[in-house]
């Protein structure tokens, strides 16, 4: 189906042919990987240097909720595989030292994903060493590839406990109105923290008056964990909100524990400077190229307004002029305003583009809401710098939290054959790799991974897995399962993504071009979008058919676009008339057509 220009197929070494530091964020194609689930090159670190059973070491390769053994050495030895896919940047899930196991009796799972941090300054021994991470970054840079770290500021591992919640499955959020900071245990409690005006007054003098953390709950830390966090200042309970579990609404969204994880009081100037020191240090030591920020919407805006400029300044001092920062602000909706708000109020340079994911997902499952693509394209104006911000938003169709695009298609269309699901997944990737933003491929999608849902059910091993609920499912486009290693560069999805990725980075209209919505339907059918080259003004027409029947339609183009070169699919060689071209697409087909001036 894909017929890229022969010259574009020779771009596989383009990343090394130029100074990777000079590429803008929107010039990248990102590959997102959880090290534990990618490749295991060093079985000696599988237990992270710990001894005992899985509740001590966190290691159980037969359970989807425990460590499986993937490591940084495995990721480094697969750099050729990732680069051949067309990726120019690697987003690595958190590699910091985690609490190995959390959860009550019968509910235990491990920190294999990296989001339960105790030591913010060093690599988790399950993944390797600081030196091995440095070797990975250096090896990627030698190939002209960037490395983005996944970081966490909102919370740490679950260490702080509350007396009132011992033995209970849930520790409900206690609001500031019912449990004010200047009373112990409620409005009728004894006076404490005299003069503390609350975390809204973000000065050192105000926080000096916060001396007792027992305003909402009675706080304690088990003796064995009183010094477990690093840097040492993170062990002080006064630097946390201590109000119980977030409901993810209202004040609890930024002050509640994220499913029990200790919620850092990011309003405190001590915390702000401490986090700047931590993550500025990672830039100094390893020269990484960007940060993806976990749970960014659950941190107060003032923190980001201080943190982001500090990181950009630190990166600039290290010779990194285009440091890419984007926050996770998870909203499963097409309401672009909810995402854009965080670029305006928080002043985050970018956010993960959940709205584009939703538009593609709805298109691929035939569930488009009215005017979905109008909302998406017109909504770009809402971001802080309009299109300039929108162009650097990482776009995605699958991830480790939300699940894989193939699973959503199978769930929505249970009668669809494997071939039809594969065709829809291919079309979804074609949209991802040609629309505006920074396309982000989730490891395993290129091998036809499907999964049984989100979260742990979408975190399959790419090396040979021992998890029964992963291995019971055939993959798309192959007879393989996850019971064997899946790094097949002949897989149809791998080849499709690789060719599209190389086409993208070789075509400025696709990396940096503006967007014009040409045609769309609220039912399965035609979607047509023009991308305009910012230097020449020439357009590249994108046409997608989300229906199971072929279609032919007239599509508006610029009047100067009189002739077309086929970059993918099949394009009419000439416009039908000034301003109109005929597009013919097979079922679930697409075309990429580069206009030439008369």
């Amino acid at each position: 189906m894909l017929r890229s220009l022969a010259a574009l197929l020779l771009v596989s070494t383009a990343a090394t042919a130029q100074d990777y530091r000079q590429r803008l964020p929107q010039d990248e194609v990102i590959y997102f990987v959880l090290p534990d689930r990618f490749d295991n090159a060093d079985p000696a670190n599988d237990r992270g240097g710990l001894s005992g059973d899985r509740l001590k070491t966190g290691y159980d390769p037969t359970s989807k909720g425990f460590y499986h053994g993937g490591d940084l050495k495995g990721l480094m030895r697969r750099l050729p595989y990732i680069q051949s896919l067309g990726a120019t940047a690697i987003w690595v899930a958190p590699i910091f030292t985690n609490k190995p196991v959390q959860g009550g009796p019968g509910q235990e799972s491990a920190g294999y994903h990296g989001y339960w941090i105790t030591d913010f300054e060093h690599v988790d021994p399950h993944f390797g060493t600081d030196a091995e991470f440095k070797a990975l970054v250096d090896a990627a840079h030698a190939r002209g590839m960037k490395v983005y770290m996944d970081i966490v500021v909102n919370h740490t591992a679950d260490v702080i406990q509350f007396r009132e919640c011992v033995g209970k499955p849930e520790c409900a959020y206690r609001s500031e109105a019912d449990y004010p900071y200047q009373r112990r245990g409620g409005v009728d409690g004894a006076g404490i923290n005299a003069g503390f005006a609350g975390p809204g007054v973000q000065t050192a003098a105000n926080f000096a008056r916060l001396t007792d953390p027992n305003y909402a709950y009675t706080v304690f830390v088990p003796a064995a964990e009183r010094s477990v966090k690093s840097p040492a200042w993170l062990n002080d309970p006064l630097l946390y909100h201590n109000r119980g579990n977030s409901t993810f609404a209202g004040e609890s969204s930024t002050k509640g524990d994220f499913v029990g994880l200790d919620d850092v009081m990011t309003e405190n100037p001590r915390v702000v400077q401490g986090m700047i020191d931590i993550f500025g240090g990672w830039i100094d030591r390893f020269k990484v190229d960007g940060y993806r920020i976990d749970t960014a919407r659950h941190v107060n805006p003032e923190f980001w307004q201080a943190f982001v400029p500090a990181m950009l300044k630190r990166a600039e001092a290290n010779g990194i002029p285009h440091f890419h920062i984007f926050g996770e602000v998870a909203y499963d909706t097409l309401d672009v305003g909810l995402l854009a708000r965080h670029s305006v109020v928080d002043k985050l340079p970018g956010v993960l583009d959940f709205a584009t994911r939703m538009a593609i997902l709805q298109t691929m499952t035939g569930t488009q809401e009215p005017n979905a693509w109008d909302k998406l394209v017109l909504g770009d104006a809402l971001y802080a710098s309009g299109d300039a911000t929108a162009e650097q938003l990482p776009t995605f169709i699958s991830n480790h939290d939300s699940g894989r695009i193939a699973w959503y298609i199978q769930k929505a269309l249970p009668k669809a054959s494997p071939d039809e699901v594969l065709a829809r997944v291919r079309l979804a990737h074609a949209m991802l790799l040609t629309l505006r933003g920074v396309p982000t491929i989730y490891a395993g999608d290129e091998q036809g991974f499907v999964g049984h849902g989100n979260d742990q059910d979408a975190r399959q091993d790419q090396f040979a897995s021992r998890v029964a609920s992963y291995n019971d499912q055939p993959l798309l486009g192959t007879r393989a399962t996850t019971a064997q290693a899946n790094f097949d560069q002949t897989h149809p999805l791998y080849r499709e993504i690789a060719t599209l990725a190389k086409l993208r980075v070789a075509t400025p209209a696709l990396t940096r071009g503006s967007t014009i919505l040409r045609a769309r339907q609220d039912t399965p059918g035609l979607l047509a979008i023009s991308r305009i080259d910012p230097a020449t003004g020439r357009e590249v027409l994108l046409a997608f058919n989300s229906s199971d029947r072929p279609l032919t339609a007239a599509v508006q183009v610029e009047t100067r676009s009189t002739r077309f070169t086929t970059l993918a699919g099949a394009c009419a060689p000439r416009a039908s008339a000034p301003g109109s071209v005929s597009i013919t697409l097979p079922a679930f087909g697409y075309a990429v057509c580069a206009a030439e001036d008369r």
Side-chain angles (χ1 to χ4, degrees):
M1 173 180 175
L2 198 78
R3 300 188 318 198
S4 297
L5 294 175
L8 296 178
L9 293 176
L10 301 178
V11 190
S12 59
T13 58
T16 56
Q18 59 177 300
D19 182 357
Y20 65 93
R21 294 288 194 206
Q22 300 309 312
R23 297 200 304 263
L24 298 178
Q26 53 265 47
D27 294 337
E28 311 300 337
V29 175
I30 302 172
Y31 189 75
F32 169 46
V33 58
L34 277 72
D36 180 65
R37 302 301 166 92
F38 191 59
D39 192 25
N40 186 359
D42 186 3
N45 61 31
D46 288 355
R47 291 171 174 80
L50 303 172
S51 59
D53 64 14
R54 72 175 196 163
L55 298 184
K56 298 293 185 182
T57 68
Y59 178 68
D60 181 356
T62 68
S63 172
K64 63 184 180 182
F66 283 75
Y67 285 97
H68 292 174
D71 48 42
L72 296 175
K73 285 185 178 179
L75 181 54
M76 186 163 69
R77 77 176 178 183
R78 296 294 182 180
L79 287 177
Y81 167 89
I82 297 171
Q83 189 167 38
S84 293
L85 183 65
T88 63
I90 305 170
W91 156 15
V92 184
I95 58 168
F96 314 101
T97 303
N98 269 230
K99 186 173 182 177
V101 177
Q102 288 186 181
Q107 302 296 319
E108 301 95 345
S109 62
Y112 68 92
H113 41 68
Y115 296 102
W116 299 343
I117 305 170
T118 51
D119 184 348
F120 283 74
E121 297 180 299
H122 297 289
V123 170
D124 192 303
H126 287 89
F127 301 141
T129 65
D130 291 5
E132 288 168 357
F133 181 61
K134 181 68 163 59
L136 169 66
V137 175
D138 290 347
H141 286 168
R143 290 177 168 272
M145 303 174 73
K146 296 181 180 180
V147 177
Y148 298 159
M149 293 183 72
D150 200 327
I151 68 170
V152 185
V153 166
N154 176 67
H155 57 263
T156 71
D158 183 13
V159 171
I160 298 172
Q161 307 297 312
F162 306 134
R163 298 286 181 194
E164 294 83 352
C165 299
V166 174
K168 296 181 179 180
E170 179 72 14
C171 200
Y173 184 80
R174 291 185 169 180
S175 71
E176 292 181 336
D178 292 324
Y179 295 87
Y181 290 96
Q182 292 193 38
R183 293 291 184 271
R184 183 189 296 270
V187 294
D188 296 325
I192 56 173
N193 301 320
F196 179 60
V201 179
Q202 296 168 21
T203 65
N206 181 49
F207 277 95
R209 300 184 181 99
L210 179 63
T211 59
D212 190 333
N214 300 301
Y215 36 83
Y217 283 103
T218 305
V219 173
F220 75 98
V221 177
E225 296 185 307
R226 286 176 185 165
S227 300
V228 73
K229 296 179 184 178
S230 181
W233 60 266
L234 284 165
N235 293 298
D236 185 352
L238 285 169
L239 299 178
Y240 298 82
H241 286 114
N242 301 317
R243 289 190 170 275
N245 286 348
S246 177
T247 66
F248 306 107
E251 71 175 61
S252 83
S253 182
T254 57
K255 296 173 183 172
D257 291 352
F258 192 98
V259 196
L261 299 166
D262 298 349
D263 195 71
V264 183
M265 192 176 281
T266 46
E267 299 92 340
N268 191 322
R270 176 69 184 90
V271 171
V272 175
Q273 188 57 52
M275 290 297 183
I276 287 173
D277 292 341
I278 288 171
F279 294 112
W282 283 89
I283 298 173
D284 291 342
R285 292 161 60 200
F286 300 97
K287 307 300 186 288
V288 293
D289 305 282
Y291 284 152
R292 179 267 191 184
I293 304 171
D294 182 65
T295 53
R297 63 176 280 203
H298 303 298
V299 174
N300 58 298
E302 297 85 356
F303 178 89
W304 300 127
Q305 292 164 14
F307 180 84
V308 168
M311 293 303 99
L312 295 177
K313 182 178 180 180
R314 190 71 67 95
E316 187 74 32
N318 279 278
I320 309 169
H322 303 299
F323 195 80
H324 196 184
I325 297 177
F326 51 99
E328 179 206 26
V329 292
Y331 298 98
D332 286 329
T333 175
L334 263 172
D335 188 344
V336 176
L338 290 174
L339 297 174
R341 178 186 183 278
H342 294 276
S343 72
V344 176
V345 178
D346 298 358
K347 301 191 184 306
L348 287 168
V351 296
L352 278 174
D353 192 349
F354 279 81
T356 291
R357 169 187 173 268
M358 182 59 66
I360 296 176
L361 179 60
Q362 289 182 358
T363 300
M364 290 301 97
T365 56
T367 58
Q368 298 102 309
E369 58 188 83
N371 302 315
W373 287 95
D374 302 75
K375 294 177 183 178
L376 187 72
V377 174
L378 296 175
D380 282 354
L382 299 176
Y383 290 99
S385 297
D387 290 346
T389 297
E391 288 172 7
Q392 62 175 301
L393 305 183
T395 52
F396 68 101
I397 54 178
S398 304
N399 74 12
H400 60 318
D401 290 328
S402 300
R404 297 187 184 274
I405 184 72
W407 175 70
Y408 281 97
I409 292 172
Q410 284 192 347
K411 181 181 178 182
L413 304 167
K415 295 182 180 180
S417 69
D419 286 345
E420 179 181 335
V421 175
L422 176 61
R424 290 177 183 270
V425 170
R426 291 173 68 174
L427 181 59
H429 279 95
M431 298 174 77
L432 176 68
L433 284 155
T434 55
L435 296 176
R436 76 99 181 96
V438 189
T440 303
I441 309 298
Y442 178 35
D445 268 16
E446 78 280 6
Q447 296 294 328
F449 284 18
V450 179
H452 292 292
N454 55 16
D455 197 75
Q456 294 180 4
D457 290 323
R459 299 174 181 178
Q460 303 99 315
D461 302 306
Q462 207 151 331
F463 62 101
S465 181
R466 294 168 58 188
V467 178
S469 64
Y470 293 162
N471 296 343
D472 67 359
Q473 186 178 60
L475 309 182
L476 296 176
T478 175
R479 294 183 179 180
T481 71
T482 53
Q484 62 200 77
N486 286 279
F487 297 97
D488 179 10
Q489 295 188 36
T490 68
H491 190 288
L493 283 171
Y494 184 99
R495 288 188 285 112
E496 191 99 7
I497 292 169
T499 309
L500 281 167
K502 292 164 189 173
L503 171 64
R504 180 184 183 87
V505 300
T507 310
L510 299 184
T511 55
R512 304 186 183 187
S514 57
T515 295
I516 301 174
L517 180 61
R518 296 298 193 186
R520 93 289 182 275
Q521 297 177 228
D522 290 336
T523 55
L526 177 66
L527 171 67
I529 287 175
S530 288
R531 305 291 309 282
I532 308 300
D533 188 308
T536 66
R538 291 180 180 175
E539 73 181 301
V540 174
L541 178 65
L542 313 175
F544 310 96
N545 179 11
S546 61
S547 74
D548 58 3
R549 297 181 180 182
L551 65 79
T552 297
V555 174
Q556 180 185 5
V557 291
E558 299 297 298
T559 56
R560 64 182 287 193
S561 300
T562 58
R563 294 179 297 175
F564 291 88
T565 297
T566 296
L567 302 184
C571 304
R574 287 180 171 77
S576 306
S580 180
V581 67
S582 179
I583 289 290
T584 297
L585 298 171
F588 309 121
Y590 65 92
V592 181
C593 310
E596 300 176 17
D597 292 345
R598 160 169 43 191

